[in-house]
Every structure is written in structure tokens, then in C-alpha cells.
Amino acid sequence: MTMIATCAAAGSAAVLLPVSVTAQQQGMQVSEFRLANGLDVVVIPDRRTPVVTHMLWYRIGSADETPGKSGLAHFLEHLMFKGTEKNPAGRFSQVVATIGGQENAFTSQDYTAYFQRVTKENLEQVMTFEADRMTGLQLTDEVVLPERDVVLEERRMRTDNDPAAQLSEALSAALYVNHPYGRPIIGWMHEIQQLSRESALDFYRRFYTPNNAVLVLAGDLDEKEARALAEKTYGKVPRVAEVAPRVRPVEPEPRAHRRITLADQRVRQPSLSRYYLVPSYRTAAGGEAEALEVLAQILGGGQTSRLYRTLVVEKGIAANAGAWYQGTSLDATRFGLYASPRPGTSLESLEAALDEVVAQIAKHGVDAGEIDRVKTRVIASTIFSQDNQTTLARIYGAALTTGMNTASVKEWPEKIKAVTPEQVQEAAKKWLDIRRAVTGHLVRPQDSAPEKRT
């Protein structure tokens, strides 16, 4: 079981949305329908092998938690494997392992998802299991409290023992002064310690209901087959709650650049990270999100990007550098830059050089040839990603749980093609304003004294 943000690692460039690229050109007829109980179903046929990826997504994540109970969505994800009256703890996973399948789950700020990858003949069985635990979960303190200890240890290992993860957590908390995206998906340690069986069940009963879920089936089946199986399994699950619209606190317009320095003896490689507050695909005005996607690739999408060429190749002051855009979010999101200095280069000098690269695009823009090369590469990578049915299922699930729809995914390539140099320059001017940013330095204690910048 894993937690994710849509941009799990710096430089992974949140490619959750742009993947269903030439689906119709390749004969992939993605379809969707809704069951009487409100469950949305998306079907992505892939007839190459008799295998199906089965993913159940809930429109609920860490940003939907009650203040003071951070980590509850992720905690419940763990507890969902503790069994029901029909299927005691461990039986579901044992069956998946016995039939040679794969399973996992993950939690993000906006959604929680559970998936299995099995042969087609075993699909109905895992659908029956998943439908059962949608409303049939049974919990006792004997299973809840030890699992809470597991989550606490997970936090110690992933965050408290990792200076880079601590810096990322601090950057998000500083970037979001009002919105719940500022709290970590796994939760704050002192709040995880207070989570209980009652709080988990209350969260479960409020949000785990078919009318708050999306079922994505990618693999060797068509809409007719999928509909029959969905009706037979999930169709029997009653609506147990009416879920209110997801209305969250709005982040105020940032007015001041913020800085964070984290010094830790365990740091081996100093680094620079910066987050800008920017719109997501759902919240952006027409064309802005696509321009930010292209801008992220121009700035930091690989070894031909502006940051890498300038800082690593030409000036030789960085060991690496890049950029990413977390576009698949329900609310205002992040645009990130990162770099690590080579020995003899201070983080302050590296930051000044990074600022200069960003300023050049804002002032002088990008030429048509550069933007065309980036768009071609981005769209080509999305075509290649269609070779993985699990990736396709994740694309559609993430889109439908963050306020978008299947049309958003299908139309994305044409919208990327339509991005102009002028739009990219305007995105850099408008959104990569230093007042919208939080900059973090990760250093060893003896290196933490700030250098004066002129």
C-alpha cells in the first residue's frame, strides 16, 4: 500500500492526465456508464492478452479529512484490508496471490484507489471481493491499533528519517497557508497517534459508497462484458451515504516569497527545491494548464531542457536540474523546480543561475522550433504509455476523481498541440512570479549559514 501525490518524485512531471492520446486512432474505444446506485464505470479495451486491470477509485483523499485528523484517508486505506463478515482478514489478498494476480492501493490528496491485475477469468472474483468491502468492512481495536502503529512506523521511515522528504513536507506546508493540501498525506505524527477505530469508521461510512466511486477496467473486455460484471457485483451495493460537493478553503493570492532551510547531518548532497502556486487542469483558464505543462518540459524535461543545458552542461555548476507540473489536482496546485550543486558551488549561486533561466523565458519567450520539439516529445511519450494498461487505468481514474472527465483525457493531445510560444511566455510571466513561490535549501549543518546575495 502506498501513498502518492500526483507528482510523487521531483522531475516526474505529473503525467497522470496526458496519456489517452491517439486512442481512437489505434481503435481503442474507451466507454463509460453509470450504475443505478451511482457508481461510475470506465472501460478501456485492450485485447492483446487475457488480462484485466481492475481499479476502484474513491473521490476522497487527505485534503478531505476533518481538521485535526490528518492521515485518516491513508489510515483507512490500510484498514480496508482487514476483512468483512463474508471475507475475513487476509482472504482477499490470499486469493489474489493464489491466482497469480497483483494488488495494491494508494492514497493521494484527492483520491484513494485499490487495484488488482488478474487474468480475465478471475476478474469477477476480485470484483466481488472489492464490492463486498465497499460497505462491509468490519473493524475492532485489536486490528486497528496495531495497524496505527504500522502507519506511525511508515511515517518514521519515509519522512522523519529522510531529510529530503522533510523539506518537501515543509515546502508544501509553507506554500498552502489556508488549503488542506498543506498537510501531509500520511498525516502529522501527533495526529496519527490520535486516530481511532471510531474516526476510521466514521470516515468510511461518510465516503465509501458507490455514488462516490469510479470503477476503471482496462484490459480484455468490452463495454457489454464490463456492464454485465459490474451489475452482477457492484450493482448489488446500496448507496449508504449522500456525499456533499467537495468545497475546500480557497488559497489566498500569495504576496511574499518564502524561504526554508533544513539542515541535517544525514544530508550527503545539498539541493535546491522551489514550489510555485499555480492552477491545475480543473481550475485553470482555457489553455493555461497546457501552457504550464509545456513550460515545465521546456524548463526541466530532460537533458535538452533549459535548466539542464544551462546549469549542468554549459555552466557546470549543477549535478542535475529539472522541473515538473502537478496538473492533475482538484484545486490550485504546484509547479516545481529543483537542482543540486556540484562541489564548490553554493546553493545561493545555483539559485541565482536558476532564476536567470526562468527570467529569460519570461522576458524573451521561446521560439517556435523549441516548443514544437517539446510538444512532439510529450505527445510521443503519451503514445508509448498506452502500452501499459495499468497506466491507462490510472490516467482515467485520476482524471475522474479530480473534477475532469473522459473527454478531458481524449482532448488533451490536441490542446497541447495548440499551445503557442506566446502562451508559454505568458505562463512564465504570470505564474513563475517569485512572490508565488516557496524556496527550500537542503544542507548539512555547517553549510547552513546564508550567503549574501547581491
Side-chain angles (χ1 to χ4, degrees), residues 65-197:
E65 296 160 345
T66 301
K69 295 184 178 180
S70 63
L72 188 52
H74 173 246
F75 184 40
L76 180 57
E77 176 215 311
H78 277 242
L79 296 176
M80 285 291 285
F81 290 82
K82 298 306 177 182
T84 67
E85 182 179 358
K86 293 181 180 178
N87 299 293
R91 184 181 177 194
F92 190 174
S93 295
Q94 183 179 21
V95 168
V96 172
T98 300
I99 63 179
Q102 302 168 345
E103 69 164 344
N104 213 324
F106 50 88
T107 303
S108 87
Q109 295 165 327
D110 295 313
Y111 49 76
T112 306
Y114 304 84
F115 72 90
Q116 301 82 33
R117 191 166 186 262
V118 296
T119 57
K120 182 179 180 178
E121 63 184 3
N122 291 301
L123 176 60
E124 181 179 339
Q125 188 174 22
V126 298
M127 291 175 73
T128 301
F129 274 120
E130 198 67 78
D132 175 43
R133 70 175 174 182
M134 177 177 277
T135 57
L137 181 66
Q138 294 190 337
L139 298 176
T140 63
D141 283 344
E142 286 72 23
V143 298
V144 170
L145 299 182
E147 197 62 35
R148 186 178 64 189
D149 292 337
V150 171
V151 175
L152 288 167
E153 182 59 26
E154 183 179 343
R155 181 182 164 89
R156 292 186 190 100
M157 291 177 61
R158 291 190 173 190
T159 304
D160 299 344
N161 292 333
D162 183 350
Q166 292 177 39
L167 179 63
S168 177
E169 185 175 87
L171 287 169
S172 291
L175 184 69
Y176 291 102
V177 299
N178 192 46
H179 192 281
Y181 283 169
R183 59 186 179 230
I185 295 169
I186 196 169
W188 302 113
M189 180 68 82
H190 67 287
E191 293 186 350
I192 300 172
Q193 292 170 339
Q194 302 304 313
L195 297 179
S196 65
R197 170 182 173 274

Side-chain angles (χ1 to χ4, degrees), residues 206-223:
R206 286 171 59 198
F207 298 112
Y208 278 59
T209 178
N211 46 306
N212 196 39
V214 179
L215 172 64
V216 182
L217 298 170
D220 186 22
L221 78 172
D222 56 25
E223 180 182 349

Side-chain angles (χ1 to χ4, degrees), residues 35-64:
L35 301 185
N37 58 12
L39 178 69
D40 289 317
V41 184
V42 177
V43 185
I44 311 168
D46 178 4
R47 297 291 195 177
R48 292 173 297 177
T49 58
V51 173
V52 179
T53 295
H54 166 267
M55 302 188 88
L56 186 65
W57 299 68
Y58 291 93
R59 295 183 179 93
I60 187 70
S62 63
D64 301 295

Side-chain angles (χ1 to χ4, degrees), residues 160-438:
D160 299 344
N161 292 333
D162 183 350
Q166 292 177 39
L167 179 63
S168 177
E169 185 175 87
L171 287 169
S172 291
L175 184 69
Y176 291 102
V177 299
N178 192 46
H179 192 281
Y181 283 169
R183 59 186 179 230
I185 295 169
I186 196 169
W188 302 113
M189 180 68 82
H190 67 287
E191 293 186 350
I192 300 172
Q193 292 170 339
Q194 302 304 313
L195 297 179
S196 65
R197 170 182 173 274
E198 292 74 20
S199 59
L201 283 174
D202 178 65
F203 195 78
Y204 174 71
R205 290 163 181 157
R206 286 171 59 198
F207 298 112
Y208 278 59
T209 178
N211 46 306
N212 196 39
V214 179
L215 172 64
V216 182
L217 298 170
D220 186 22
L221 78 172
D222 56 25
E223 180 182 349
K224 182 178 179 181
E225 294 171 294
R227 187 184 292 271
L229 287 172
E231 292 283 7
K232 186 176 180 181
T233 55
Y234 289 102
K236 297 177 180 179
V237 181
R239 297 165 73 112
V240 295
E242 295 302 322
V243 182
R246 301 166 85 180
V247 180
R248 298 161 173 171
V250 177
E251 192 65 24
E253 277 298 296
R255 296 181 178 178
H257 180 210
R258 288 137 289 170
R259 289 188 172 279
I260 293 172
T261 298
L262 192 151
D264 194 297
Q265 288 286 358
R266 294 168 293 183
V267 173
R268 293 291 175 264
Q269 172 66 60
S271 64
L272 160 70
S273 299
R274 178 179 292 166
Y275 295 171
Y276 294 90
L277 185 70
V278 300
S280 65
Y281 276 96
R282 190 189 76 87
T283 63
E288 280 190 330
E290 290 79 10
L292 285 166
E293 192 83 59
V294 173
L295 175 59
Q297 292 298 312
I298 289 174
L299 272 172
Q303 296 185 2
T304 60
S305 67
R306 294 276 189 107
L307 286 173
Y308 194 93
R309 283 201 329 263
T310 303
L311 305 182
V312 178
V313 179
E314 297 171 7
K315 294 189 175 183
I317 60 174
N320 66 12
W324 48 268
Y325 170 52
Q326 185 183 328
T328 309
S329 294
L330 190 67
D331 299 314
T333 188
R334 301 176 298 168
F335 188 106
L337 305 178
Y338 64 94
S340 295
R342 285 186 176 170
T345 301
S346 69
L347 284 174
E348 289 74 18
S349 298
L350 182 61
E351 185 180 338
L354 180 146
D355 286 339
E356 185 179 347
V357 175
V358 174
Q360 282 292 318
I361 293 180
K363 184 176 181 180
H364 301 292
V366 295
D367 62 61
E370 181 179 21
I371 196 172
D372 286 344
R373 287 192 297 273
V374 165
K375 290 192 289 187
T376 298
R377 184 176 71 246
V378 169
I379 293 174
S381 71
T382 66
I383 294 173
F384 297 146
S385 67
Q386 291 184 62
D387 197 44
N388 187 315
Q389 64 177 222
T390 301
T391 300
L392 281 170
R394 289 177 70 117
I395 302 298
Y396 279 92
L400 269 68
T401 49
T402 55
M404 295 178 284
N405 52 41
T406 57
S408 304
V409 182
K410 295 175 182 178
E411 294 166 0
W412 182 85
E414 292 304 317
K415 290 184 177 180
I416 287 291
K417 290 179 183 178
V419 173
T420 66
E422 292 75 20
Q423 286 177 306
V424 172
Q425 182 178 10
E426 178 59 25
K429 284 182 182 178
K430 182 177 181 179
W431 299 112
L432 302 196
D433 182 328
I434 195 65
R435 293 171 296 183
R436 305 187 65 83
V438 179

